[in-house]
Amino acid sequence: SELTLTAKGRKAYAQLDSRSREEAAGMLRSLAAGERERLVGAMRTVESLLEKEFSVENHHISLRAHRPGDIGWVVSRHGALYAAEYGWDERFEALVAEIAARFIQEFNPARERCWIAEVDGEPAGCVFLVEESTTTAKLRLLIVEPRARGHGLGRRLVRECIAFAREKGYRKLVLWTQSNLAAARAIYKSEGFKLSKTEKHASFGIKLTGEYWELKL
């Protein structure tokens, strides 16, 4: 059965809809611009959590350079995700903070870059490329939020690093990772990186095997 509103019903609906919009506008009007952005971000978080399945086709994914506020997000999400998924303690977050702070303090835009991946305007991943020497660049701090994994975003970030390094004339791209980070290692291997050295160590509260990978450009 198809149901439709009568003329009287449409008029009543219009009045209710208008009143609802005015009430919502009134609540939003009292918020500062930053608070409105936080509210929208929270609503997007709720929406993403309630979605049964993440689909690239239903989301806008983009990469951009870093801006104020991003470094805090990078440090926080590395600390939270690696603690939840691998049991690493806060010393890893401290290391990320040191790396990120050094990047900002010594940033050379002609030779270095940070990419922030966004899904529907919200940060969902990142990667850094820093200058080791005139001929060698280093890939650092690759991360992808769980909700955005499995759709090639990590690979896209790594490829951006490779393309940038080649464009700037670097001869080699290197990185340091751990043997238990299977997803990241699979990306590095498929993109042509070669394992050059391994080293056992105890860091971040657990025993690890560090791996050094490099890609000749």
Side-chain angles (χ1 to χ4, degrees):
S1 300
E2 293 186 5
L3 302 178
T4 59
L5 291 173
T6 62
K8 184 177 180 180
R10 286 194 295 271
K11 183 178 180 180
Y13 172 79
Q15 292 175 342
L16 292 171
D17 187 51
S18 177
R19 191 179 307 159
S20 176
R21 289 176 179 274
E22 289 175 2
E23 290 177 354
M27 289 187 290
L28 295 174
R29 200 175 293 119
S30 64
L31 299 177
E35 293 174 323
R36 288 196 294 270
E37 290 180 1
R38 288 177 57 197
L39 176 62
V40 172
M43 293 174 70
R44 284 174 173 157
T45 298
V46 171
E47 183 180 40
S48 66
L49 289 173
L50 293 178
E51 286 181 342
K52 292 183 178 180
E53 183 177 353
F54 182 93
S55 172
V56 173
E57 292 75 16
N58 297 330
H59 297 269
H60 176 66
I61 299 176
S62 61
L63 304 185
R64 61 169 175 80
H66 68 283
R67 61 192 183 203
D70 286 329
I71 299 304
W73 176 85
V74 169
V75 175
S76 174
R77 295 311 293 155
H78 270 81
L81 286 177
Y82 278 81
E85 298 179 356
Y86 301 104
W88 297 9
D89 64 23
E90 62 274 13
R91 284 171 287 185
F92 175 65
E93 189 172 353
L95 174 62
V96 175
E98 292 176 7
I99 295 171
R102 190 180 310 119
F103 173 81
I104 293 298
Q105 292 164 355
E106 303 174 1
F107 181 47
N108 178 3
R111 302 276 288 168
E112 300 178 317
R113 185 77 185 268
C114 165
W115 290 265
I116 300 294
E118 290 188 334
V119 175
D120 296 334
E122 291 298 312
C126 70
V127 73
F128 290 63
L129 183 139
V130 299
E131 182 177 19
E132 284 278 285
S133 69
T134 56
T135 60
T136 303
K138 190 170 187 177
L139 185 155
R140 312 206 76 171
L141 304 182
L142 173 67
I143 195 172
V144 176
E145 289 281 7
R147 72 179 189 278
R149 293 174 185 169
H151 302 278
L153 186 54
R155 186 179 304 278
R156 182 176 172 185
L157 287 166
V158 170
R159 287 179 176 176
E160 289 288 339
C161 280
I162 295 172
F164 182 86
R166 284 176 173 150
E167 178 187 339
K168 298 304 177 181
Y170 289 108
R171 297 179 184 175
K172 184 168 62 174
L173 182 57
V174 300
L175 62 90
W176 179 61
T177 189
Q178 308 303 317
S179 61
N180 62 327
L181 304 183
R185 294 176 75 259
I187 293 174
Y188 303 143
K189 186 175 181 180
S190 67
E191 292 302 316
F193 283 85
K194 304 296 183 183
L195 179 62
S196 60
K197 185 176 69 171
T198 63
E199 180 181 47
K200 293 185 181 298
H201 63 106
S203 302
F204 324 129
I206 60 174
K207 294 181 179 180
L208 296 165
T209 299
E211 296 184 343
Y212 296 85
W213 293 67
E214 61 180 44
L215 173 67
K216 293 183 179 179
L217 302 171

